[in-house]
Amino acid sequence: MRLRRLVRAAFAAVCIMTATAVGLTAPATAAPTDAAFDSATGALNVDRAAYLSKHDLVYNRPTTNPLHGLTVGNGRTGAMAWQANGLTMQVSGVDTSQQTAFGAGLLNLSTTPALESGYSTYQQRLSLYDGTLTTKYDANRTVTVMGVPNSEVMGVHVEDSRSGVSAVNLDLSLWDTSQLGNSGDVPNLDTWKTVSTYADSTGAGLSRGQSDPQNFGYTLAATVEGAAYNARVVDGRTVRLSITPSPSYTIWFTASSRLNAPSHDSVTEAKRALASAKSRGYSATLNDFRSWWHDFWGKSFVQYSGLSGDADYLENVYYLSTYMIAAGGYGTNPFHFINGVFRATRDQTKWSNAYWFWNQRDIYNSFLASNHVDLLAGFNRLYSRNSAALKSYTRTRYNVDGLWVPETMGWDGNARGTVNSDFTNNIWSTGTEAAYNMYLQYAYTNDSAYLRNTAYPFMRDVVKFYAAKLSYDSASGKYYVASSHAHETYWNVPNAITDLAAVRTLFPLTIRASESLGLDAELRPQWQRIVDNLIAYPSTADVYLPHTPPLAQTRNGENVAAEIIWPYDRTGIGYPDQQKAVNTFNARPFPYGNVWANDAVQAARLGLGDQAYQGMKTMLRKYQTYPNGMTDNTNGVFEYLGVHLAALNESLLQSYNDKIRVFPAAPSDSSFVGRFTLLAKGGFTVSSEREAGEVKYVGIKSLYGNATRVVNPWGSQQLRVRDVSSGTTVLTTSAAEFDLPTSAGKVYVVERTAKPLSSYSSVRLTGSANEGEKTLGGTTSTLGMARTPNPMVNNTQLTYDSNWHATSGRGYGDYNDDTHHSTTLNAVAQYTFTGTGVAYLSERNGDMGTVDVYLDNVFQATVDLRVSGARQVQQTVWQRTGLTQGTHTIRIVNRSTSVGMVDALRITP
């Protein structure tokens, strides 16, 4: 999670904070009178097809910008789609290359006359519930992208009833592989520069990486159902299917990986997989695909709405983020936090060529609560399957019989990115995070075989590493850490709080698992001695510190001391040190400092509902810069979406400390409406609703018959617990917390004695399909595209070459408080728009230079951005009106080594 520039800020000075954690407010007297709990199923009663349709992403005009393309995937293969000579998509597969570093290629569907010609209405819709991407041009052209569920095959179905269509072509292509860089940390880059092709009666395809010694590589191939076609090789990196025009046909395409193919033969597998899809047929496969996504969405539900629509926007991002990660989250390898399966940047990836645990945890850790533990299991397998290699390396590097996990790790467990980096080479705590995730997989699924065979052995070996590496002070009788990294921010420091939290998290769980499994009894006394005699966390009277003072030089922008709140789960609501944890959070040195910042999750864990809500908004304002929900941030792509999922889940339900607590961090605004069905630790499906500040009930379905502890959501009001199947009351109490024994499969309702669930009328939750663009108040963040574009185009929406740099939080008064700038001669920025005019906005200042402006490739003017005196912001430095209504492109070229800048554009429709 290395920053482009080292952060040099010192840890903030701390004042005693007067704020306290936010608890649930007193119930309002005028709450709505309905409830959506279905006692028979133990979940909310939701018309999911209608409800999720209100969160569909809709483009009511074509996007020609690949970075704004809409995303569609099937669990292992994904594509970003935009309009360029028809439908163009960049295809990626999660297992096609190491760390998904290389794109699979481009797919282009073009017709004569063009699909995008001669229409009056246009709409492209990503249907989250069905998982499909559908583009409609008037009533006579519909293109639907879908797939074979959880496979490497996808399809493009075309309904085109126009008369006079004379040609249809489907091209698969690659970029100039001679320019390929080793962003994937591949053993032999030459095999990835070598492309082979085929074209025969089965279809056409191109392959690369076929000699990769680690068995990566793939074949991108296609065939056609429902129309005749001819296949041919166009050139060394392009193949074409020339399709006989037909009113209805389906193109099946695949990015078949060598890794998953029998005998690692991706060409044979591609042909087999395409033939299978073609045999199954479009209609049946579409039904399979929809059913797969419907089952996925049926696992859980959240509603987070109100606050003048802003909370609804956060809810929309929740469902969109879930879709994007799940659409590529079921591969043999994890969904990479930068590369994923959705990008439109050719083979270019960002800075990472490995899996960085800090960033990957952001992607995956929310899926426990949302009842998709299988997604977290895929992340866990990356570490469990490499445990032998990691143990061997631990013996070599540390001479310890235990398990050390590198913070930066390749798909095969290699530690090159960690040991060769000053930022990461002495981080110990990653092993605990990996082991803890495995334990949580057990705790949420009750899979005792997984605990015995996978999770516990990994936990034990990480504990053995710490037991060997901790130092012992015989004078004080305390164990301590002599020197390690407090993550990436403080190097080679004593008593890193992350290591002390790691010990306090993992050792007791491992001791408990050892006892329950009847294993390693001889090791427990030493482990317990360490737990009982571990040095206290470094702290002042008011806050926790990242390590024992004096504080070391700051090397990165992490809020290390707040890690004990999340993900280490050592403090939170109701803990004796809650106020100290709140103080630590409020004094954190880098609030929302990067795309991977997990501040909002920690706010929720502390009961700071308003801060969690504002934190989610802040992250979207800073990082959600594209209308497809994605970002232009150079330090990552998907992390902030994963953090958003965890923050919203933790605002609605917490169970990390074996207590069920509903709405622990709800916004205080009385307009907030929250509903959910989520999974709690221990195997409990929990449902609840809150309106006008009032929690109506808590529904609990016990999956495995475990006992749990429930926090009374009404404080000291009397409640009762009712067994739904028998109708009997099993418990009545006014306690703040109570223990609840359960039986597997039974549903229990926790309700106020004075206002039981039966006093509410029954309702089914539904919604209406979204038809347009959505905006988040006080930000430039949007989802979707309106028919007429917003006249203001933020600088983040332009396309830049590699010589431009984004800056945010400038505080000068720029539009959206951010800019792009360059000091490189001939650096280019450009934007394609539809309208009759354009204005170019920039700062002007004494350190700035000149830029040339081009419109539709015609030089317009040289603009001088220099000015004496005070800095000027949001200045219209060039504009043009009276253009012919249509599509135009503005290009801005830096003409000096002084600062050239773009703040925004203003488009005249």
Side-chain angles (χ1 to χ4, degrees), residues 741-857:
T742 71
S743 298
K746 284 198 171 185
V747 177
Y748 303 86
V749 171
V750 181
E751 56 193 0
R752 284 167 293 178
T753 305
K755 193 173 184 180
L757 178 62
S758 60
S759 66
Y760 296 91
S761 60
S762 181
V763 68
R764 191 179 195 207
L765 303 179
T766 187
S768 300
N770 175 43
E771 298 294 343
E773 180 183 81
K774 297 181 179 181
T775 60
L776 180 62
T779 78
T780 59
S781 298
T782 63
L783 291 173
M785 289 185 178
R787 185 165 299 174
T788 301
N790 184 332
M792 291 302 293
V793 176
N794 195 39
N795 64 87
T796 53
Q797 298 184 53
L798 278 69
T799 300
Y800 299 90
D801 64 20
S802 60
N803 299 310
W804 291 80
H805 307 285
T807 57
S808 60
R810 292 170 61 77
Y812 295 139
D814 302 303
Y815 182 71
N816 198 44
D817 200 23
D818 59 7
T819 65
H820 269 73
H821 73 274
S822 178
T823 56
T824 302
L825 186 65
N826 295 324
V828 176
Q830 66 180 28
Y831 182 74
T832 299
F833 63 94
T834 301
T836 62
V838 58
Y840 161 32
L841 280 66
S842 175
E843 292 180 10
R844 277 191 157 121
N845 196 40
D847 63 348
M848 304 181 73
T850 58
V851 297
D852 285 348
V853 179
Y854 293 79
L855 188 66
D856 298 333
N857 293 319

Side-chain angles (χ1 to χ4, degrees), residues 73-84:
N74 66 354
R76 296 187 174 208
T77 302
M80 283 184 69
W82 65 93
Q83 203 80 49

Side-chain angles (χ1 to χ4, degrees), residues 426-611:
N426 202 21
I427 295 175
W428 295 358
S429 55
T430 307
T432 286
E433 291 197 55
Y436 187 37
N437 273 356
M438 294 179 199
Y439 173 79
L440 290 175
Q441 181 177 331
Y442 153 73
Y444 276 78
T445 62
N446 218 49
D447 187 343
S448 56
Y450 178 79
L451 176 65
R452 175 178 291 274
N453 299 324
T454 303
Y456 174 73
F458 200 98
M459 296 163 63
R460 175 197 60 210
D461 288 338
V462 173
V463 165
K464 288 170 70 176
F465 170 78
Y466 265 111
K469 292 294 290 181
L470 289 171
S471 299
Y472 180 70
D473 181 3
S474 58
S476 65
K478 295 293 184 181
Y479 290 89
Y480 66 98
V481 180
S483 179
S484 68
H485 279 16
H487 222 267
E488 293 187 27
T489 300
Y490 309 98
W491 299 354
N492 302 314
V493 294
N495 296 317
I497 197 170
T498 43
D499 287 315
L500 300 181
V503 171
R504 288 191 167 93
T505 297
L506 190 60
F507 275 52
L509 295 175
T510 308
I511 292 169
R512 190 186 313 163
S514 166
E515 291 171 341
S516 68
L517 295 171
L519 299 171
D520 300 317
E522 72 282 4
L523 299 176
R524 287 180 226 142
Q526 181 199 18
W527 297 347
Q528 191 62 56
R529 279 195 303 273
I530 291 172
V531 173
D532 293 341
N533 296 284
L534 186 66
I535 193 171
Y537 295 132
S539 71
T540 69
D542 308 312
V543 299
Y544 291 112
L545 300 174
H547 63 86
T548 297
L551 292 188
Q553 179 182 354
T554 300
R555 307 282 187 167
N556 206 330
E558 303 158 336
N559 300 311
V560 175
E563 291 274 286
I564 63 171
I565 305 165
W566 184 94
Y568 291 100
D569 297 348
R570 302 310 306 157
T571 185
I573 303 169
Y575 281 72
D577 64 343
Q578 180 181 357
Q579 186 57 56
K580 192 169 187 176
V582 170
N583 294 346
T584 303
F585 175 80
N586 286 332
R588 66 199 188 281
F590 305 105
Y592 303 104
N594 214 305
V595 71
W596 33 256
N598 46 51
D599 307 38
V601 185
Q602 293 164 345
R605 280 288 179 87
L606 293 170
L608 306 174
D610 290 329
Q611 289 199 43

Side-chain angles (χ1 to χ4, degrees), residues 351-417:
W351 49 267
S352 175
N353 60 5
Y355 295 99
W356 293 60
F357 198 96
W358 177 296
N359 307 76
Q360 290 293 148
R361 75 187 187 187
D362 287 350
I363 303 299
Y364 277 100
N365 281 18
S366 72
F367 288 102
L368 292 166
S370 59
N371 200 13
H372 298 295
V373 187
D374 50 350
L375 280 170
L376 179 70
F379 181 36
N380 285 344
R381 280 194 297 273
L382 175 67
Y383 295 92
S384 61
R385 75 170 185 240
N386 284 307
S387 60
L390 294 171
K391 284 189 68 175
S392 176
Y393 189 78
T394 303
R395 283 191 294 270
T396 299
R397 187 180 189 209
Y398 292 101
N399 194 29
V400 166
D401 178 22
L403 201 160
W404 168 82
V405 175
E407 171 65 15
T408 305
M409 193 179 87
W411 69 277
D412 57 354
N414 77 72
R416 288 190 294 274

